[in-house]
Every structure is written in C-alpha cells, then in structure tokens.
Amino acid sequence: MATKEIFIPELGTDSVDVTEILVAPGDVVEVEQGLVSVEGDKASMDIPAPFSGTIVSIAVKSGDKISSGMKLGEIESADEALSSAPASSDKAAIQNVPKPVSTAPEVPQSSAVAVAKKTTAPTTPALVNQNRNVYASPSIRKTANRLGVDLTQVPGTGRKGRILAEDVEKWVKHTLSNIGKPSAGVGLGIELPAMPSVDFSKYGEIDSVELTKIQKFSGPVLHRNWVRIPHVTQFEESDISELEAFRKSQNSPKEVKIRGFKLTPLVFIMKAVAKTLELHPRMNTSLSADAQSLIYKKYVHIGIAVDTPNGLVVPVIRDVNKRTISDLSAELFETSKKARDGQLTIENMKGGCFTISSLGGIGGTNFTPIINAPEVGILGVSKAQMRPTWDGDKFMPRLILPLALSYDHRVIDGADAARFITTLKSELEDIRKIIL
Ligand code: CAO
C-alpha cells in the first residue's frame, strides 16, 4: 500500500474551471472513474482516476481554476507495481485521458475539442446523440443514462445552465412523486407551476360541491384538446331572416301540436353544416394517431353539445346530410331529452365528424369553442339579433346569426376555414339550398 500523488492531465487548453468534485476522502475508486468535473469555454470533461485505490485527499475545490500538471490529490493504491514506480510516472500515466467533451450548443469549435468529441462519444452514444445541446459533464450523462433520464428535460442550476448531479436527483424525485397525477405538461415538455391551494373559508362562508362524473371526465379531455391542438377561430355573420320566416311558418300551434316539438334554428344549421362539409371535405377529416396521414370520412355524423344538469355531453346525430329537417328535428328533440335525463350511452356519443355548440337559446354575442378531438372543426353558434343592415339602398332590419368556427391549424389552413365559413353563411342565407 502506498499513497501516490495524482496530477491534472494535458487539457489541450490553458485553464479550466472545476465545476464539481465527484469523490471524497475515503471513497474507493476504480481506474478511469471520474474524480472531478471541469469546464472550459466550450467543453467539459471528468478527470478520471489514473489507477484504482482509496482517495486520501483532493487538492482542488469547486470553482477553482486549474491547468495541466497541477496536483489534483492523493490516492492510496494497493498495487505494488504502481507503489514502487517513481512519482513522475504518475504524471505520465494520466497524459492519455480523454480530452474535453463539447457540451455547448452548436458553435464553431477548436480542433482539440472536435477530436475529444470523437474520443468520448462511444462511452454514452445514446445520450451524446440525443442531448447534443445539453450542458452536463460525462459523469452526469452517464448517471442520467443509467437512470433513463432525458437530460433535455432537466433544468440546470449550474453556471451557464450546466446540469449538476443534484439537478438530476431533484428531477428524478419530482418525476417519481408525480407518477399518476394529472399534469398539463405531460408529453409536451411544458413545466407549469402548481395551482395555488387556497383556504377560501378564511375569507368568508363557503360550500364545497364535488364535481359530477361527467365534469370529472370532460374537464381533462377539454384541457387536453385545448393544449394539444393549435386552435384558430374564424368568425362570420349570416343573415338568417329568410330561414327564420320559414321556420316560424312551420311552427304554427297546430303543427307543433302534431309534431310534439318546435323547429329551432339549430336543425337548419345542422343541415347547412352537413352540406358545407360535403363541399369542403377536408373539414370532415381526422389526423391519424401518428399524425402522418389524414382520414377523410365519407359519412356526415354531427355532434351536438348539450347542456345538462350534470355537465356538458355531445351526442352524435348520424347521416345528417341524408335526412330531412323534420326527421333530424325529432331526433335532436329526443336526444337532448335523453341527455338531460342521463340516458345516453357511450355509443350515442361516438363517431362524430364535426361538432356544433349552440348557445343561441341563451345569449352572448360570440365565443371560441374548443375542438372535440379527433375532429378538426367545431362551430360555435350565438344568439341571432335584429340589426339594421345596408341593402345598397337603405337600412333594413335583418336577423343576423353570429358564427365562430374553431379549427385545427395542423389540418386546416386559414384560407380553407374562410372558404368553409363563407359557404356555410351562404347556405344559411338561402333556405332553398338547405332543404333541397
Ligand atoms: N338565435 C336566436 N334564438 C335561438 C337560437 C339562435 N342561434 N338558437 C335557439 N334559439 C331559440 C330557439 O328558437 C328557442 O326559442 P323559441 O322557443 O322561441 O323557438 C329557444 O332559443 C331555445 O332553444 P333551445 O336551446 O331549447 O333549442 P336548440 O335546438 O337551439 O338547442 C340544445 C338544443 C340541446 C343544443 C340546447 O338546449 C343546449 O343544450 N345548448 C347548450 C349547448 C352548450 O352548452 N354549448 C356550450 C358548450 S361549451 O361549454
């Protein structure tokens, strides 16, 4: 047994900063195990142990500037051959350590660093390839590789955003403690602060009411769709004065008595949307699960958002393009009653191509609906209002219906959306086109 001094090897640069001490006195180390991490302007490396043994001392500390040939520390070695060798040979033994690894983002590099990259790449090939722009020492990369940690996800707290051992540890702890918890950022690389937990009763009387099953289910789905789909909403207004005159003519007390329900504007809007989907088939598509192809549907099933005491549900009315206004009206009436009575099945809510959300019976001038994935468009309908409209000669009172089309911008371009909503507007303005 003999204590041997160890020295900083040839670094290929004047000086580097010590960023981390990886071992402590008493630690048993293997040959090539990292002792300290150092960092130059555009590169970093671990200085490895030249032989195995027990650390007696480390002569540098984090933040020190060091250069080739300086004393790094002492190791007690059990290897007799090494023990008897002259001290100067230890210096020689550590001349051949790998040169620094570039961890900085893409910048022009010196030839020394370029060679070093090649030398060390085989150690952690996957990480070197995946995390080209990550600032971390080889030992941190090795640890991350062993633990399956993607370093691009780990915020670095070291100098220039360098990732330290404690950052990896913190990230692993955070990930483990969040398994199974819903998170806005899952799979998106978005880290959001947690919602504040507030004791509202400190400020006045309160009641706490548990969300309904529907609300517990639909909340996260709406949230996912809002966050994952790049939404754009296109607005338009349609003059539905003719449509309204026709609708009213069909709603005489006698007709309503025979039919059992009134015709509302919504059923005409459904019919106009179905026709518009046929004319603009790209709005009647879904992206495949891998987002590499577009699935065109040859059927026109439309989902209708229904407000129920337990929350929002979206039953689907099938083959809207092939059916009559009165047939669709009967189904809409029955389906919304079933929805409010909680009698819809999962099957009733599947297979939709496009959704209509109508708040026209309630009020409001406009709103931006959230797309019902995997559909690529949704129409928001607000309350029609009488407005003075210029007919080229004089102002006329006309019934104007506000429309809002939200679309998935990965599939639908702005021009497609504008064409779609312009067609819809003209379908609604000429009742003959809808009922044909
Ligand atoms: N403009 C003016 N009046 C309208 C209108 C519009 N766009 N849409 C409906 N109305 C009128 C109807 O004509 C009816 O009046 P009359 O009785 O005088 O004829 C009244 O408003 C009530 O209509 P309704 O809402 O009962 O019927 P509907 O066919 O229009 O809608 C349904 C059915 C199920 C869609 C609706 O009841 C509903 O639940 N809407 C809420 C949808 C919702 O919550 N969307 C938001 C989703 S995002 O949170």
Side-chain angles (χ1 to χ4, degrees):
M1 296 278 249
T3 299
K4 306 284 291 176
E5 287 187 315
I6 48 173
F7 299 91
I8 311 293
E10 180 51 47
L11 295 168
T13 182
D14 286 351
S15 69
V16 290
D17 294 329
V18 177
T19 52
E20 220 177 339
I21 308 294
L22 305 171
V23 291
D27 284 358
V28 176
V29 294
E30 296 297 326
V31 63
E32 292 294 314
Q33 182 177 334
L35 301 177
V36 297
S37 291
V38 296
E39 177 189 304
D41 277 350
K42 302 184 184 82
S44 73
M45 67 175 285
D46 287 349
I47 298 189
F51 47 83
S52 56
T54 305
I55 299 290
V56 176
S57 65
I58 290 291
V60 298
K61 56 185 189 312
S62 195
D64 280 359
K65 269 207 176 319
I66 58 171
S67 50
S68 310
M70 277 175 65
K71 182 175 168 182
L72 180 59
E74 291 171 323
I75 298 181
E76 190 175 73
S77 169
D79 187 328
E80 288 306 323
L82 246 172
S83 312
S84 57
S88 59
S89 72
D90 296 338
K91 272 193 182 179
I94 54 176
Q95 299 295 309
N96 293 328
V97 295
K99 296 283 192 303
V101 179
S102 168
T103 52
E106 295 296 300
V107 285
Q109 294 168 347
S110 71
S111 56
V113 170
V115 170
K117 231 180 179 177
K118 226 174 164 183
T119 318
T120 49
T123 327
T124 52
L127 278 172
V128 169
N129 288 338
Q130 285 166 16
N131 302 336
R132 224 169 286 140
N133 293 337
V134 162
Y135 226 162
S137 71
S139 65
I140 298 292
R141 287 167 184 274
K142 216 185 256 176
T143 307
N145 202 15
R146 189 165 40 80
L147 297 175
V149 173
D150 175 1
L151 283 179
T152 58
Q153 304 294 313
V154 181
T157 59
R159 205 166 71 90
K160 294 189 209 156
R162 154 177 285 280
I163 298 170
L164 307 177
E166 64 223 52
D167 296 329
V168 175
E169 197 181 310
K170 202 164 145 202
W171 191 89
V172 170
K173 274 188 191 155
H174 172 82
T175 306
L176 287 176
S177 64
N178 280 296
I179 287 175
K181 290 187 193 165
S183 154
V186 169
L188 293 173
I190 301 172
E191 268 298 322
L192 298 175
M195 287 291 182
S197 162
V198 179
D199 177 6
F200 298 101
S201 65
K202 280 201 325 208
Y203 309 106
E205 198 182 336
I206 58 160
D207 260 343
S208 175
V209 181
E210 196 178 345
L211 294 182
T212 64
K213 271 193 188 146
I214 291 177
Q215 288 163 339
K216 283 182 189 169
F217 175 77
S218 61
V221 170
L222 285 164
H223 193 183
R224 176 202 65 196
N225 294 348
W226 179 246
V227 171
R228 282 196 177 269
I229 302 172
H231 281 69
V232 179
T233 304
Q234 167 78 58
F235 301 101
E236 181 53 286
E237 291 180 336
S238 180
D239 180 341
I240 58 163
S241 308
E242 309 291 330
L243 189 159
E244 189 61 1
F246 177 74
R247 185 182 76 87
K248 281 196 170 146
S249 73
Q250 300 302 304
N251 274 344
S252 68
K254 193 176 155 207
E255 303 233 30
V256 172
K257 196 165 175 207
I258 297 169
R259 214 187 290 127
F261 51 86
K262 277 184 178 176
L263 296 184
T264 64
L266 181 56
V267 78
F268 294 91
I269 297 169
M270 286 166 63
K271 210 51 198 161
V273 164
K275 178 86 178 290
T276 310
L277 284 169
E278 287 181 319
L279 295 171
H280 300 269
R282 200 172 172 89
M283 195 66 80
N284 191 3
T285 60
S286 286
L287 272 175
S288 59
D290 62 2
Q292 297 302 301
S293 41
L294 206 51
I295 292 134
Y296 282 78
K297 295 157 203 172
K298 306 259 170 81
Y299 49 86
V300 183
H301 304 337
I302 295 182
I304 303 294
V306 179
D307 175 38
T308 80
N310 289 324
L312 181 71
V313 290
V314 186
V316 174
I317 312 280
R318 287 169 207 276
D319 298 315
V320 177
N321 55 332
K322 296 180 184 159
R323 296 166 61 186
T324 63
I325 294 271
S326 46
D327 181 23
L328 289 170
S329 222
E331 183 168 345
L332 180 64
F333 179 77
E334 275 306 308
T335 305
S336 29
K337 186 170 176 315
K338 264 191 179 175
R340 291 192 179 108
D341 294 344
Q343 286 174 353
L344 289 178
T345 64
I346 296 288
E347 275 313 302
N348 294 143
M349 291 184 263
K350 280 184 173 172
C353 305
F354 184 93
T355 295
I356 302 176
S357 176
S358 172
L359 293 173
I362 304 170
T365 53
N366 241 318
F367 66 105
T368 53
I370 298 178
I371 295 162
N372 189 14
E375 296 165 16
V376 297
I378 180 169
L379 182 74
V381 180
S382 294
K383 192 175 180 63
Q385 309 267 13
M386 271 302 194
R387 293 238 210 100
T389 307
W390 186 248
D391 72 355
D393 192 24
K394 57 192 172 310
F395 280 105
M396 297 288 291
R398 306 293 294 179
L399 189 63
I400 305 298
L401 179 72
L403 303 168
L405 172 73
S406 292
Y407 57 91
D408 182 339
H409 209 345
R410 294 171 303 173
V411 176
I412 306 290
D413 289 336
D416 295 335
R419 280 190 277 270
F420 183 92
I421 207 160
T422 304
T423 303
L424 179 62
K425 169 191 166 81
S426 80
E427 291 290 322
L428 287 167
E429 287 181 353
D430 188 348
I431 185 70
R432 292 165 304 178
K433 288 187 187 167
I434 301 175
I435 53 181
L436 265 179

